[in-house]
């Protein structure tokens, strides 16, 4: 299911994770969050990571998202070893390569939808005019062209999550990382959000979805099941990339 | 630069979001800067006034007198000196090469009368016709008395503007006879209005030929001698010359110190600067302390703000903000607070300083230096007080921050 030997750099998949360990030291105890994960994700794949709480899926997600570094093991993103980078280098990788979508949306409450979407572009050093244009286009893609000057508290949950998706898209990242994106939404709105992800996947984006709901994970092409910091098994749902009502 | 302006705009938005809090934080800086600007403006206005007053003594004039103007050391030493007399005036007059103008100065307070009007305790100067050159004064009406009038001890007088007002009102004083301690003098001129010199009314004076000065044993009376050079650069030569002449006249052996003083405007200015130098220091310390307190206020609020906005920091870091970008983000808030405070402080300082200056009847002088000091100090406080909170923000762990409620 994965290669222990390291393929040559030009043939590496988009994400290549080898023997990944993460140990947290909490006082005197050591918590083994990940105990040797091997995982490859190709470009334009749609992968869901599932598992009960404490299975290590959040830790894996944070490492894939370059918010954290592994204790041991290698993580190649786009052919680049990102497991040994310092904080600022990781910030630049997050800025260029990764688009986050969170369960709690994580929008800046005082900023408008447009300003929220502009945020990654601001840190990329893009000029104000270009930022506005790109952010507007991203908001149009998620169907919020008429809401660009609304603040998060003036938007519904679904609309907020769409702003967050637009923000994740705006930098044209290599991966879109979604952590329980429907966790705070009702079933109908959740389905709408999942439609957007399906659509984004069809347009060629690589999507990694973390969830504990099977019917959400079923949207993906591959489901990775984690348990106790290890990959328990992997499955391919029947209706890959389709909509399950 | 353009990016920094955007950071400042962001900072403005966050200050706007917490108006009351921002107001009180800014107030801390305003008070500090106001204190500094206010006292600076007052001191500078007084300085300008004092220097203006001192310049009335003339930069190229020296005054020979028994006592030095600024006494340092034992006063008794000076008290036992012999008086400066007219004999020494004559010696200087005959022998000095560098003194272009020279006049004796005999001072007293006299009662002046004209018809039913009288004025007591009028400052009376006895001098010669060269006095106006040494003292930088001139007449606005009539003329000065002449060499011949001095030589022949003519009873003529030049009166100050205040004396004219009280004795004559609207009447023309020229040619009128007034009585000085009962003796008649003819008014030939009126002095230009000069205002106050440290509270002393310079217009409440009269000037008469020293030869007409009626006093007890005129030849032994202690007087002063004013000498003025034509070229200010020759002032030191003049002083050396005076020392030589007076030591010779007084037969002072080379081993002994001078028993007379040669005074000049510089001494007063220096003494004054010495005094205000200390005052400046006190102001710096007081203003500095209040700015430090203001800075602590900023640091405190910024720390609260960093904690409150942990989640926001997490979001910014997740979408790719580097540590430097987070530091600049928070620093620009503290800098904005202190710049706004500094600006308001300058305005308030200038306005508040008008009150005492108006009471003292002094014009305010706001120098660019003062403004620079205000802006400089407040931005320094802004940067210093923002550094620690900004660093704390930059070190926030994004994973924990995103979970922070």
């Amino acid at each position: 299911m994965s290669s222990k030997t390291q393929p040559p750099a030009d043939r590496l998949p988009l994400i290549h994770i080898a023997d990944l360990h993460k140990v947290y030291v909490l006082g005197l105890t050591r918590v083994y969050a990940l105990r040797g994960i091997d995982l490859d994700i190709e470009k334009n794949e749609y992968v869901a990571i599932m598992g009960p709480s404490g299975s290590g899926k959040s830790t894996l997600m944070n490492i894939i998202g370059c918010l954290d570094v592994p204790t041991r093991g290698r993580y190649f993103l786009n052919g680049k070893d990102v497991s040994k980078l310092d904080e600022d280098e990781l910030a630049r990788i997050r800025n260029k390569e990764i688009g986050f979508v969170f369960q709690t949306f994580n929008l800046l409450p005082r900023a408008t939808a447009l300003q929220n979407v502009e945020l990654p572009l601001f840190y990329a050093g893009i000029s104000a005019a270009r930022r506005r244009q790109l952010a507007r286009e991203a908001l149009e893609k998620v169907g919020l062209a008429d809401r660009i000057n609304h603040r998060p508290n003036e938007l519904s949950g679904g609309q907020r999550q769409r702003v967050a998706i637009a923000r994740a898209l705006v930098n044209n990242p290599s991966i879109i990382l979604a952590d329980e994106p429907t966790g705070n939404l009702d079933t109908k709105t959740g389905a709408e959000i999942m439609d957007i992800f399906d659509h984004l996947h069809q347009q060629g984006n690589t999507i990694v979805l973390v969830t504990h709901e099977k019917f959400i994970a079923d949207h993906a092409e591959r489901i990775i099941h984690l348990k106790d910091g290890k990959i328990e098994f992997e499955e391919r749902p029947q209706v890959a990339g389709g909509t399950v009502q | 630069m353009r990016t920094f302006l955007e950071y400042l705009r962001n900072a403005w938005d966050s200050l706007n979001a917490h108006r009351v809090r921002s107001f009180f934080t800014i107030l801390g800086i305003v008070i500090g800067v106001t204190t500094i600007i206010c006292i600076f403006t007052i001191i500078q206005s007084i300085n300008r006034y004092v220097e203006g007053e001192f310049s009335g003594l003339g930069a190229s004039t020296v005054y020979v007198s028994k006592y030095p103007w600024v006494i340092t050391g034992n006063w008794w030493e000076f008290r036992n000196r012999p008086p400066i007399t007219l004999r020494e005036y004559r010696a200087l007059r005959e022998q000095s090469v560098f003194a272009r103008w020279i006049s004796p100065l005999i001072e007293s307070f006299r009662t002046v009368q004209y018809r039913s009007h009288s004025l007591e305790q009028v400052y009376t100067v006895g001098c010669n016709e060269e006095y106006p050159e040494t003292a930088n004064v001139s007449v606005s009406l009539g003329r000065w008395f002449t060499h011949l009038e001095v030589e022949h001890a003519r009873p003529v007088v030049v009166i100050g503007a205040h004396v004219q007002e009280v004795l004559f009102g609207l009447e023309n004083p020229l040619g009128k006879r007034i009585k000085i301690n009962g003796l008649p003098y003819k008014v030939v001129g009126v002095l230009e209005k000069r205002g106050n010199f440290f509270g002393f009314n310079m217009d409440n004076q009269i000037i008469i030929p020293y030869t007409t000065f009626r006093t007890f044993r005129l030849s032994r009376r202690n007087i002063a001698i004013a000498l003025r050079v034509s070229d200010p650069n020759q002032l030191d030569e003049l002083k050396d010359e005076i020392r030589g002449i007076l030591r010779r006249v007084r037969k002072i052996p080379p081993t002994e110190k001078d028993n007379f003083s040669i005074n000049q405007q510089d001494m007063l200015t220096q003494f004054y600067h010495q005094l205000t130098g200390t005052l400046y220091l006190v102001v710096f310390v007081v203003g500095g302390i209040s700015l430090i307190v203001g800075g602590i206020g900023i640091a405190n609020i910024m720390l609260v703000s960093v904690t409150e906005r942990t989640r926001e920091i997490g979001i910014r870091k997740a979408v790719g903000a580097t540590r430097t970008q987070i530091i600049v983000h928070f620093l620009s808030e503290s800098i904005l607070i202190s710049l706004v405070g500094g600006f308001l402080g300058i305005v308030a300082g200038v306005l508040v300083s008008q009150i005492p200056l108006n009471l003292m009847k002094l014009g305010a002088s706001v120098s660019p230096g003062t403004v620079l000091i205000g802006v400089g100090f407040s931005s320094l406080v802004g940067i210093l007080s923002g550094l620690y909170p900004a660093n704390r923000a930059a070190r926030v762990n994004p994973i924990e921050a995103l979970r922070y409620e």
Side-chain angles (χ1 to χ4, degrees):
Chain A
M1 92 187 175
S2 63
S3 52
K4 291 250 179 191
T5 53
Q6 184 185 310
D10 56 335
R11 279 186 43 226
L12 278 177
L14 178 63
I15 289 174
H16 172 66
I17 286 170
D19 194 29
L20 204 69
H21 290 256
K22 182 69 184 181
V23 184
Y24 293 109
V25 181
L26 294 174
L28 291 175
T29 54
R30 286 161 163 265
V31 179
Y32 292 86
L34 297 178
R35 307 158 178 255
I37 302 274
D38 296 297
L39 176 65
D40 284 351
I41 296 174
E42 296 291 342
K43 198 167 166 7
N44 196 21
E45 261 198 293
Y46 192 171
V47 179
I49 299 173
M50 280 193 76
S53 58
S55 62
K57 62 182 194 299
S58 290
T59 306
L60 182 57
M61 156 105 181
N62 288 335
I63 291 174
I64 292 176
C66 290
L67 285 167
D68 206 351
V69 285
T71 313
R72 191 146 63 80
R74 287 302 182 84
Y75 168 26
F76 288 84
L77 174 63
N78 246 341
K80 188 177 182 185
D81 186 356
V82 294
S83 42
K84 299 279 186 292
L85 296 183
D86 73 21
E87 218 183 292
D88 280 354
E89 288 166 327
L90 286 176
R92 268 175 231 119
I93 298 278
R94 288 197 296 272
N95 188 247
K96 286 198 188 66
E97 310 282 355
I98 292 156
F100 287 99
V101 178
F102 301 96
Q103 176 178 0
T104 50
F105 321 131
N106 278 331
L107 299 175
L108 298 181
R110 289 196 312 271
T112 62
L114 192 70
Q115 287 166 339
N116 265 294
V117 178
E118 279 184 31
L119 200 60
L121 302 172
F122 176 74
Y123 290 119
I126 291 166
S127 77
R130 179 100 183 103
R131 261 180 1 227
R132 199 158 305 133
Q133 187 201 341
L134 288 172
R136 203 186 290 265
E137 283 170 16
L139 281 165
E140 276 164 15
K141 272 187 209 164
V142 296
L144 280 180
D146 54 339
R147 291 281 188 280
I148 59 171
N149 287 322
H150 288 60
R151 285 171 212 283
N153 61 5
E154 299 159 347
L155 297 171
S156 70
Q159 287 170 330
R160 286 182 211 185
Q161 195 59 302
R162 286 198 230 179
V163 173
I165 293 171
R167 182 179 65 190
L169 285 175
V170 75
N171 249 5
N172 222 350
S174 303
I175 336 162
I176 293 170
L177 262 184
D179 185 6
E180 305 274 10
T182 59
N184 272 19
L185 302 172
D186 60 70
T187 321
K188 184 171 167 290
T189 319
E192 283 169 19
I193 293 298
M194 290 318 293
D195 283 346
I196 294 176
F197 282 113
D198 293 344
H199 182 67
L200 290 175
H201 173 236
Q202 278 156 23
Q203 286 186 326
N205 289 289
T206 312
I207 296 169
V208 177
L209 189 68
V210 175
T211 183
H212 62 271
E213 309 245 39
K214 185 70 170 72
F215 75 95
I216 295 293
D218 278 342
H219 282 258
E221 298 167 315
R222 274 164 78 196
I223 302 176
I224 317 263
H225 289 266
L226 284 189
K227 197 178 173 189
D228 299 330
K230 285 181 180 162
I231 293 177
E232 196 183 20
F233 65 94
E234 205 182 301
E235 63 171 321
R236 290 189 176 266
Q238 296 309 307
V239 205
T243 40
V244 179
Q245 295 292 339
Chain B
M1 192 59 215
R2 188 174 49 83
T3 331
F4 185 67
L5 285 181
E6 286 196 51
Y7 275 111
L8 276 186
R9 218 189 47 210
N10 277 343
W12 178 257
D13 289 341
S14 3
L15 293 193
N16 241 326
H18 299 281
R19 288 209 191 99
V20 177
R21 181 198 288 181
S22 307
F23 170 77
F24 282 110
T25 318
I26 288 172
L27 194 63
I29 296 297
V30 172
I31 290 171
V33 174
T34 304
T35 313
I36 288 185
I37 296 292
C38 188
I39 302 182
F40 252 74
T41 308
I42 292 175
I43 291 182
Q44 279 188 342
S45 305
I46 295 177
N47 272 358
R48 226 177 39 158
Y49 165 74
V50 167
E51 269 159 27
E53 296 286 271
F54 284 156
S55 71
L57 295 169
S60 45
T61 303
V62 295
Y63 294 83
V64 177
S65 57
K66 181 173 168 181
Y67 297 101
W69 283 350
V70 179
I71 292 182
T72 50
N74 195 351
W75 184 74
W76 290 99
E77 245 178 74
F78 304 110
R79 202 187 175 288
N80 290 329
R81 286 174 166 184
I84 308 286
T85 61
L86 285 171
R87 186 172 73 102
E88 279 135 359
Y89 157 66
R90 283 184 210 106
L92 286 172
R93 171 143 212 124
E94 277 158 27
Q95 296 171 35
S96 174
V97 178
F98 289 106
R100 169 80 179 73
W101 296 281
I102 173 166
S103 169
L105 296 171
I106 314 173
E107 298 158 306
S108 185
F109 289 90
R110 298 282 149 102
T111 303
V112 186
Q113 269 178 291
Y114 176 68
R115 288 184 184 158
S116 61
H117 302 283
S118 84
L119 204 53
E120 279 174 23
Q121 292 285 308
V122 178
Y123 177 64
T124 306
V125 182
C127 59
N128 66 15
E129 72 284 357
E130 288 176 15
Y131 172 78
E133 301 296 339
T134 64
N136 268 333
V137 295
S138 55
V139 291
S140 61
L141 200 64
R143 61 173 176 87
W144 201 262
F145 41 78
T146 63
H147 179 64
L148 278 177
E149 282 169 330
V150 175
E151 286 295 293
H152 295 109
R154 302 299 304 161
V156 288
V157 61
V158 174
I159 60 174
H162 178 69
V163 178
Q164 178 203 6
E165 238 167 72
V166 173
L167 295 190
F168 295 98
L170 296 172
E171 196 181 331
N172 180 6
L174 295 182
K176 304 280 158 49
R177 268 168 213 286
I178 61 170
K179 280 183 177 164
I180 302 172
N181 273 12
L183 296 167
Y185 278 77
K186 190 175 82 174
V187 177
V188 294
V190 177
L191 282 174
E192 218 168 44
K193 210 170 170 62
R194 288 167 76 192
N196 284 359
F197 180 70
F198 298 108
F200 179 79
N201 185 352
M202 297 290 279
D203 299 319
N204 188 22
Q205 65 167 304
I206 55 174
I207 301 173
I208 58 176
Y210 75 96
T211 45
T212 69
F213 209 102
R214 298 285 173 242
T215 182
F216 180 67
R217 288 218 286 187
L218 181 61
S219 63
R220 298 278 298 275
R221 194 186 193 281
N222 183 37
I223 64 166
I225 304 164
L227 304 98
R228 182 178 164 191
V229 289
S230 48
D231 175 6
N233 294 326
Q234 292 178 329
L235 209 59
D236 286 335
E237 281 96 326
L238 174 66
K239 279 153 76 181
D240 286 344
E241 190 188 49
I242 294 170
R243 280 191 71 206
I245 295 171
L246 288 183
R247 286 182 75 93
R248 211 158 49 240
V249 170
R250 291 189 162 188
K251 299 190 176 64
I252 303 173
T255 50
E256 271 180 41
K257 288 196 283 183
D258 294 347
N259 58 7
F260 52 87
S261 291
I262 303 172
N263 296 306
Q264 66 183 100
Q265 176 204 333
D266 268 20
M267 297 169 64
L268 291 182
T269 332
Q270 273 168 21
F271 179 64
Y272 175 74
H273 281 307
Q274 226 174 316
L275 280 179
T276 49
T278 324
L279 199 59
Y280 265 116
L281 197 73
V282 172
V283 173
F284 257 116
V285 171
V286 171
I289 287 173
S290 57
L291 272 182
I292 288 170
V293 172
I296 291 172
I298 294 185
N300 204 2
I301 285 300
M302 292 302 296
L303 280 176
V304 171
S305 168
V306 167
T307 311
E308 272 182 1
R309 288 153 72 187
T310 302
R311 200 186 181 88
E312 175 190 329
I313 297 165
I315 296 170
R316 290 180 184 277
K317 285 196 148 190
V319 302
T322 60
R323 273 175 305 185
T324 316
Q325 285 168 326
I326 296 288
I327 287 175
V328 175
H329 181 103
F330 281 91
L331 261 192
S332 53
E333 285 187 25
S334 65
I335 290 173
L336 186 68
I337 288 176
S338 48
L339 277 186
V340 170
F343 176 75
L344 293 179
I346 289 168
V347 174
V350 170
L351 289 181
V352 170
S353 63
Q354 301 305 306
I355 299 167
L357 288 179
N358 271 332
L359 290 178
M360 290 189 283
K361 297 192 169 63
L362 297 181
S365 76
V366 181
S367 68
T370 311
V371 175
L372 218 65
I373 284 170
V375 173
F377 263 104
S378 52
S379 23
L380 190 73
V381 166
I383 291 170
L384 289 183
S385 57
L387 270 179
Y388 175 66
N391 250 308
R392 276 267 292 253
R395 283 206 309 267
V396 162
N397 178 345
I399 299 167
E400 283 162 24
L402 286 169
R403 254 184 261 138
Y404 188 88
E405 289 303 326

